[in-house]
């Protein structure tokens, strides 16, 4: 029974797809299928149910996954500990990060990190979905606030997020300026849809209480950068994190609205599984960004 066959089975069981598992492991689909067949023949059991549309573990497959995953984690930890004796962290760190955090908090410091840790590789995947980072093979994830599983360890990456309501001078000249959050009901708002399908709610503080509304408007986008462009072009009123709006407000392309009612959102946090042993490469990544936060 080959170690590689066990790894191949775990990859397919986790991704529920031979194609995705093959891409992840850098092998061909037929090679991966053969590895799983080898394992099934060795055990004399079917481990995966296969149809033209889906792959899922059988009862035996689920049991094998539950027993193998902790063992593989121990093996990987052992290898990481031995490698750490070289004095230089090494390995790959995979992180799932929504685009705003990746663009403004992570990417500006990536060159310095790679220069400081020449034996560490980074795989930073822009993704706003709420995912199980362990099941999808990530070492860590980034999300707003503490919206993550209870068995995760979290560390803030910055300060609470300030969100601005903005519009172009041209739009305001044509439609007037809202003076209260309720006035937005009569305006064209540029909306953002999350990967889950949910429309991003707008939150305000009105007389000490939270006021939440789902804006109405004819334009829906899923990328904040496109929302900025649309707002500058006069397509409507937008609500965006300040790091997107600030340069355009300073240049006069956008005007801040409803500042009296502004509310903040929790800071971005990086989170990772609670383990007995954190791999040196991941520890280096966490310590590097913790140092940036402390200096800031």
């Amino acid at each position: 029974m080959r170690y590689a066959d066990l790894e191949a089975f775990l990859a397919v069981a986790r991704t529920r797809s031979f194609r995705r598992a093959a891409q992840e492991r850098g092998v061909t689909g037929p090679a991966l299928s053969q590895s799983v067949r080898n394992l099934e023949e060795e055990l004399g059991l079917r481990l995966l149910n296969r149809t033209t549309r889906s792959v899922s573990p059988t009862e035996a497959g689920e049991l094998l996954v539950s027993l193998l995953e902790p063992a593989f984690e121990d093996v990987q930890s052992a290898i990481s500990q031995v490698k750490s004796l070289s004095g230089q962290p090494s390995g790959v760190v995979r992180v799932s990060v929504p685009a705003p955090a990746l663009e403004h908090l992570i990417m500006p410091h990536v060159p310095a990190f790679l220069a400081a840790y020449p034996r560490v590789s980074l795989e930073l995947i822009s993704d706003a979905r709420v995912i199980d980072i362990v099941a999808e093979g990530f070492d860590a994830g980034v999300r707003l606030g503490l919206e993550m599983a209870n068995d995760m360890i979290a560390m803030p990456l910055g300060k609470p997020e300030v969100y601005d309501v903005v519009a172009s001078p041209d739009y305001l000249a044509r439609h007037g300026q809202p003076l209260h959050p309720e006035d937005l009901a009569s305006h064209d708002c540029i909306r953002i849809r999350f990967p889950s399908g949910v429309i991003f709610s707008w939150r305000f503080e009105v007389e000490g209480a939270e006021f939440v509304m789902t804006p109405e408007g004819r334009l829906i986008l899923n990328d904040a950068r496109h929302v900025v462009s649309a707002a500058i072009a006069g397509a409507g009123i937008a609500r965006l994190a300040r790091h997107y709006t600030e340069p355009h407000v300073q240049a006069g392309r956008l005007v801040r609205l409803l500042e009296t009612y502004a509310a903040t959102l929790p800071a971005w946090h990086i989170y990772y599984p609670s383990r007995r042993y954190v791999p040196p490469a991941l520890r280096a990544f966490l310590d590097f960004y913790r140092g940036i936060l402390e200096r800031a």
Side-chain angles (χ1 to χ4, degrees):
M1 189 175 299
R2 300 191 312 153
Y3 182 89
D5 292 343
L6 295 172
E7 278 192 315
F9 162 70
L10 279 179
V12 176
R14 174 169 49 78
T15 60
R16 305 295 176 105
S17 166
F18 278 94
R19 182 181 60 82
R20 287 199 298 272
Q23 290 174 340
E24 181 182 290
R25 293 178 56 75
V27 299
T28 65
L32 201 65
S33 297
Q34 186 59 54
S35 290
V36 174
R37 282 197 297 271
N38 291 343
L39 186 58
E40 290 179 324
E41 289 171 5
E42 182 74 23
L43 294 172
L45 290 166
R46 177 175 288 277
L47 299 174
L48 296 171
N49 292 316
R50 305 162 176 86
T51 70
T52 56
R53 293 189 174 184
S54 66
V55 177
S56 61
T58 63
E59 182 180 0
E62 292 280 10
L63 176 61
L64 187 59
V65 168
S66 68
L67 296 172
L68 282 180
E69 282 185 332
F72 267 68
E73 184 175 312
D74 287 342
V75 169
Q76 290 163 356
S77 293
I79 292 171
S80 294
Q81 290 185 61
V82 171
K83 284 184 175 179
S84 70
L85 296 177
S86 69
Q88 277 284 344
S90 63
V92 179
V93 178
R94 298 188 73 234
V95 187
S96 171
V97 195
L102 180 60
E103 184 176 348
H104 295 282
L105 294 175
I106 301 294
M107 284 306 301
H109 308 290
V110 163
F113 174 84
L114 294 176
Y117 297 98
R119 297 177 62 181
V120 176
S121 299
L122 291 180
E123 185 173 346
L124 305 172
I125 304 301
S126 176
D127 192 347
R129 294 177 304 140
V130 177
I131 64 169
D132 181 336
I133 58 171
V134 175
E136 298 209 16
F138 289 97
D139 297 290
V142 175
R143 291 293 177 270
L144 272 178
L146 298 175
E147 297 172 359
M148 56 206 73
N150 292 330
D151 58 348
M152 296 288 170
I153 298 173
M155 178 188 83
L157 276 175
K159 298 177 181 179
E161 287 285 301
V162 178
Y163 273 69
D164 289 331
V165 176
V166 294
S168 70
D170 175 65
Y171 175 89
L172 296 175
R174 287 184 286 117
H175 299 280
Q177 183 167 326
L179 301 178
H180 189 278
E182 292 179 346
D183 296 341
L184 292 170
S186 61
H187 283 269
D188 231 347
C189 296
I190 304 170
R191 302 188 286 172
I192 294 178
R193 189 184 297 279
F194 290 132
S196 63
V198 174
I199 294 290
F200 181 42
S201 296
W202 294 14
R203 299 174 183 272
F204 301 93
E205 187 174 315
V206 178
E207 297 179 356
E210 187 178 52
F211 177 82
V212 181
M213 62 170 291
T214 300
E216 295 294 332
R218 294 175 295 150
L219 179 59
I220 298 176
L221 300 166
N222 70 346
D223 189 312
R225 291 166 295 185
H226 298 155
V227 175
V228 170
S229 298
I232 291 172
I237 296 177
R239 184 171 183 265
L240 293 156
R242 180 159 291 179
H243 47 248
Y244 283 110
T245 65
E246 183 66 26
H248 306 293
V249 170
Q250 293 298 324
R253 291 184 289 268
L254 292 173
V255 177
R256 284 198 185 101
L257 309 170
L258 305 173
E259 292 186 78
T260 305
Y261 305 99
T264 59
L265 289 179
W268 290 102
H269 283 64
I270 185 167
Y271 66 100
Y272 56 98
S274 175
R275 295 172 174 158
R276 297 190 306 274
Y277 177 76
V278 177
L282 177 58
R283 174 57 62 196
F285 185 81
L286 296 170
D287 289 346
F288 179 85
Y289 279 92
R290 183 182 289 111
I292 290 171
L293 179 63
E294 289 172 352
R295 289 193 296 274

